[in-house]
Amino acid sequence: MASCIDPAKLQITRTTSPKPKVAKEKLSFGAVKSDHMLEIDWDVETGWTAPRIVPYHALEIDPAASVLHYGLEAFEGMKAYLDPSGKARLFRPDLNMKRLSNSMERLAFPALDKDAFAECIKALVRVDKDWIPRGEGFSLYLRPTVIGTWPYLGVHAAHRIKLFCIACPVGPYYPEGFKPVKLLADDLHVRAWPGGVGDAKVGGNYAPTIAVQAQAAARGFTQVLWLFGQGKGGQGQEKLVTEAGTMNFFALWKDAGSGRPTLVTAPLDGTILPGVTRQSILDLARAGSLGDLDVQERPFTIGELAAAGREGRLLEAFGAGTAAVVAPTKLVHYAGEDIHIPLDPANPSAGAGPLAQRIWNELRDIQYGLGSHASHPWSVAAE
Ligand SMILES: *Cc1c(COP(=O)(O)O)cnc(C)c1O
């Protein structure tokens, strides 16, 4: 019985009918898939199969499989980038593996061999390297996924699972420069709660958000700002600000006491997805790489955000995640009130504030290995 994933046993079957590449300008997020995928199965009796890289294909799945009934599914989102010398790199893959391992534990899946699985993902990147589009903002989006395949209708830990990874060439999130978003702070729906699964990247967290997102879009908002707490409307000012859509959320304001520029984000209290981008922004800010600002990882309320706006202390706000890196926010609407957020006072046509732009530049340089960041501990060679 293979108790571990063994990258040394990796079997590669290359496609005999490679798909035509799609023009870089035509890539839309997650629509185009590369030629290959990675698959590894696990069975409680026999353990892990050898990892396989095979042509991209539809899965055959038993209609009783637990993923189809009880949502036994977790996933990751990461990217492979080409550096100036044409080598493929990943960005902090250890954090994705740790998070996937935590998500799997929450679903009573077997323990994940994090390093071994990361090696298999690197092998997929090498096989599909010609699918990584070159250029700033371009990358190969990787979607490691794990599902319960055991065909048994009892609500029970899966005796069989499938771990796989597909890859999609993607272009810049903002092909024409930053496009600041408007968020609707939702008063009725809750994304996550203490003791729930908000800190696990499990599919079950996302299905219930789609209708809420659609309602916000129908009202002219780009995304939902998820709050948590008691009260509604005027009574809801103590509600905590948690996340924006599928991104972590940051505000930069002058602290009401010290007057210092302060970067605030919600703490990892179980209701927040531990984003790799979020962690990287906090790490850079604490290391002083983002300028002179204080950093606070603490619960903060929609009332505090509104007060900072009213009092002219609010400097910037943005979402943070792998897909967009940063999503500058220009407005948050809550309970009939608009909270306006400045972008760049020195440059009214800029779609992002100076801090969001600085974060974007810094992370881009690390991810693509540019300039002074040609080598950086967060940027890991895939070949
Ligand atoms: C994936 C995700 C994020 C962002 O995580 P990154 O690792 O930065 O991409 C934030 N919030 C939610 C709910 C997510 O699913």
Side-chain angles (χ1 to χ4, degrees):
M1 164 162 155
S3 59
C4 286
I5 295 172
D6 186 353
K9 295 214 176 89
L10 179 73
Q11 305 158 357
I12 300 177
T13 310
R14 287 179 189 265
T15 182
T16 49
S17 49
K19 294 180 270 196
K21 304 284 189 302
V22 173
K24 260 171 48 169
E25 314 70 55
K26 296 236 172 73
L27 294 170
S28 83
F29 186 81
V32 179
K33 288 86 179 182
S34 71
D35 274 327
H36 298 90
M37 63 187 288
L38 167 69
E39 277 184 87
I40 317 172
D41 295 285
W42 175 89
D43 181 291
V44 71
E45 301 286 333
T46 51
W48 298 96
T49 61
R52 318 183 284 287
I53 290 175
V54 291
Y56 187 95
H57 67 105
L59 298 178
E60 182 170 305
I61 193 163
D62 192 293
S66 52
V67 61
L68 300 177
H69 300 272
Y70 310 122
L72 273 83
E73 191 264 5
F75 65 98
E76 275 303 318
M78 51 204 287
K79 286 173 171 174
Y81 311 84
L82 284 184
D83 71 16
S85 73
K87 289 244 162 16
R89 301 175 173 223
L90 300 174
F91 180 70
R92 307 189 83 174
D94 52 316
L95 296 185
N96 293 97
M97 294 301 109
K98 183 163 164 247
R99 188 168 67 191
L100 181 60
S101 166
N102 290 342
S103 300
M104 288 174 68
E105 194 179 325
R106 191 67 182 78
L107 297 178
F109 284 168
L112 178 70
D113 311 303
K114 300 187 274 291
D115 294 342
F117 189 47
E119 287 310 311
C120 297
I121 290 174
K122 287 181 194 167
L124 176 65
V125 169
R126 290 193 295 273
V127 169
D128 272 340
K129 189 175 165 192
D130 59 346
W131 282 92
I132 313 178
R134 191 180 271 279
E136 181 174 329
F138 290 89
S139 60
L140 187 65
Y141 182 80
L142 300 164
R143 172 50 65 90
T145 310
V146 56
I147 57 176
T149 50
W150 193 33
Y152 174 69
L153 291 184
V155 178
H156 194 284
H159 283 190
R160 253 179 246 166
I161 71 168
K162 182 184 284 294
L163 190 54
F164 63 92
C165 183
I166 58 173
C168 304
V170 295
Y173 207 80
Y174 302 107
E176 279 130 36
F178 286 113
K179 208 161 159 258
V181 298
K182 295 200 267 181
L183 303 178
L184 176 64
D186 188 285
D187 226 5
L188 291 177
H189 306 92
V190 175
R191 189 195 86 90
W193 44 89
V197 286
D199 57 351
K201 214 167 171 80
V202 295
N205 281 340
Y206 300 83
T209 65
I210 291 169
V212 186
Q213 152 68 21
Q215 288 165 20
R219 293 175 60 187
F221 296 95
T222 333
Q223 267 299 349
V224 175
L225 184 64
W226 300 102
L227 305 180
F228 179 76
Q230 297 297 316
K232 283 201 176 56
Q235 315 307 311
Q237 299 296 323
E238 296 300 311
K239 280 184 168 177
L240 300 174
V241 174
T242 65
E243 294 197 59
T246 56
M247 295 189 186
N248 295 116
F249 184 75
F250 287 82
L252 176 72
W253 60 44
K254 284 191 185 134
D255 184 80
S258 69
R260 295 253 311 140
T262 304
L263 183 64
V264 189
T265 197
L268 300 180
D269 63 357
T271 68
I272 305 291
L273 203 282
V276 176
T277 318
R278 173 190 178 279
Q279 190 60 53
S280 303
I281 292 171
L282 289 172
D283 292 344
L284 290 172
R286 288 185 175 128
S289 305
L290 300 177
D292 178 32
L293 44 83
D294 292 342
V295 180
Q296 292 181 356
E297 209 179 336
R298 67 162 174 93
F300 68 100
T301 65
I302 188 73
E304 274 181 274
L305 188 71
R310 263 195 317 274
E311 294 160 14
R313 290 185 289 108
L314 192 49
L315 304 170
E316 287 185 42
F318 47 88
T322 297
V325 186
V326 282
T329 303
K330 63 178 176 186
L331 181 121
V332 172
H333 182 90
Y334 179 63
E337 237 189 280
D338 280 343
I339 307 171
H340 290 278
I341 303 159
L343 292 165
D344 189 349
N347 179 7
S349 67
L355 179 62
Q357 292 185 45
R358 189 160 176 175
I359 291 169
W360 203 85
N361 290 339
E362 192 76 14
L363 289 178
R364 175 204 54 202
D365 288 358
I366 297 172
Q367 287 162 345
Y368 291 86
L370 305 179
S372 62
H373 292 314
S375 115
H376 190 286
W378 292 351
S379 185
V380 176
E383 53 182 331

